[in-house]
Amino acid sequence: MKRSGGDAERTQSGSSSDDPAKKQKVTNVDDEPQTQPQPQPQLHLMPPFPPIPPEAPPPSSDVKNTTVNKQRRYVPKSKVYSPKDYALWPTLAVNIYRSQVNIRNTDYASDYIRYWFKEHQGLCTPPPKPPRSAYSIYFNEQKSAWFQTHGKWNMKKDSKKVGVMWKELSEDDKKVYHTKMEVERTQFNTNNEFWHGKAVEWRLEKVQRLKASGEELDPKKRVALRLNDICVCELCKPEEED
């Protein structure tokens, strides 16, 4: 006995809808969790150190003074850097320069920072640290907005006001800053992993470059030859010594 076309269509439709395997397959696709894309390293935050400290262009008045100095046969011994110069430097280099100023003076600090840039040329700048808490993100935002509105910032009084404002925020509003904190920490981990990989490559290249140049590497012999020490700071020493 032949089935009618309508019966055949109903049978095919029913078997398709009643198939548990196909139902399960559709359910699995719908229930599959959405994974967040892995952030990429922020290369603009990690530029390589140049061989010499960047300098601000001199104003026209400095050019005239230089001419007068040449006429008087007075030439400064070496460049002494100013705030306009180190405004162009990475934060790490600025902190090192200021620490040397506190130890000695600006002349010594200027000589030292030239040596420091030469020792670290080509190394990527370490990525900036992530925020310590959600409140620190909120605090920095409010501090910038407060300064733009009032033109000044009192660390003692205004900080207390921001603290009170934070306590008055709802949990939903605070959650926004907690989310920002997690995003920035995830981004820092990506940047930091990238930086460490590049730092390992740079250290190996530096050692090979020094050996190929025939430069004396023994610290005691370098002192006898009146050569600058080879830098062994936290940035330069191998990872296994950390």
Side-chain angles (χ1 to χ4, degrees):
M1 178 178 178
K2 293 184 179 180
R3 295 181 180 181
S4 64
D7 293 339
E9 289 178 2
R10 283 194 296 272
T11 303
Q12 184 176 2
S13 174
S15 62
S16 174
S17 61
D18 295 339
D19 190 347
K22 292 185 178 180
K23 281 186 176 182
Q24 183 67 27
K25 185 176 180 181
V26 173
T27 304
N28 288 341
V29 171
D30 293 339
D31 293 345
E32 187 173 328
Q34 298 294 328
T35 57
Q36 295 295 331
Q38 184 67 20
Q40 297 298 313
Q42 297 173 312
L43 301 182
H44 66 283
L45 297 178
M46 299 176 282
F49 292 113
I52 58 175
E55 298 180 14
S60 57
S61 58
D62 287 355
V63 176
K64 294 179 181 179
N65 292 335
T66 303
T67 305
V68 173
N69 288 337
K70 287 182 178 179
Q71 291 175 354
R72 296 176 181 175
R73 297 183 181 180
Y74 169 72
V75 179
K77 183 175 63 173
S78 59
K79 165 75 176 181
V80 175
Y81 297 105
S82 67
K84 291 182 179 180
D85 295 320
Y86 54 76
L88 306 174
W89 304 350
T91 303
L92 175 62
V94 175
N95 292 338
I96 291 173
Y97 176 80
R98 287 174 173 170
S99 68
Q100 296 303 317
V101 171
N102 294 334
I103 294 171
R104 299 282 290 274
N105 51 48
T106 54
D107 291 327
Y108 176 83
S110 297
D111 288 337
Y112 183 87
I113 203 65
R114 276 187 286 271
Y115 153 78
W116 189 90
F117 267 94
K118 182 180 178 181
E119 285 290 309
H120 298 89
Q121 60 177 309
L123 174 65
C124 291
T125 306
K129 299 292 184 182
R132 290 181 293 179
S133 63
Y135 173 69
S136 64
I137 299 177
Y138 177 80
F139 180 89
N140 290 332
E141 286 185 2
Q142 296 302 318
K143 182 178 178 181
S144 299
W146 188 277
F147 190 83
Q148 291 178 1
T149 303
H150 302 279
K152 59 181 180 179
W153 172 262
N154 186 295
M155 191 63 186
K156 185 176 181 180
K157 295 181 179 180
D158 297 335
S159 295
K160 289 182 178 179
K161 294 177 182 177
V162 174
V164 172
M165 293 166 59
W166 170 258
K167 291 180 180 179
E168 293 176 350
L169 287 180
S170 66
E171 290 301 320
D172 290 339
D173 291 335
K174 288 182 179 180
K175 188 176 179 180
V176 173
Y177 293 95
H178 284 286
T179 302
K180 287 183 179 180
M181 179 189 67
E182 293 301 328
V183 169
E184 293 192 31
R185 285 184 175 178
T186 301
Q187 182 65 65
F188 169 76
N189 292 335
T190 300
N191 292 345
N192 199 42
E193 183 179 356
F194 173 84
W195 180 85
H196 276 284
K198 287 296 183 181
V200 170
E201 295 177 4
W202 175 82
R203 293 180 190 117
L204 293 175
E205 291 174 359
K206 182 179 180 181
V207 172
Q208 294 172 357
R209 185 174 66 250
L210 290 173
K211 290 180 178 179
S213 67
E215 186 174 342
E216 181 59 58
L217 302 180
D218 184 82
K220 294 182 179 179
K221 292 182 179 180
R222 289 183 69 88
V223 172
L225 295 172
R226 296 185 178 181
L227 298 175
N228 287 328
D229 294 335
I230 296 175
C231 186
V232 289
C233 70
E234 294 292 326
L235 301 179
C236 295
K237 70 180 183 180
E239 294 288 340
E240 58 267 20
E241 296 182 15
D242 289 342

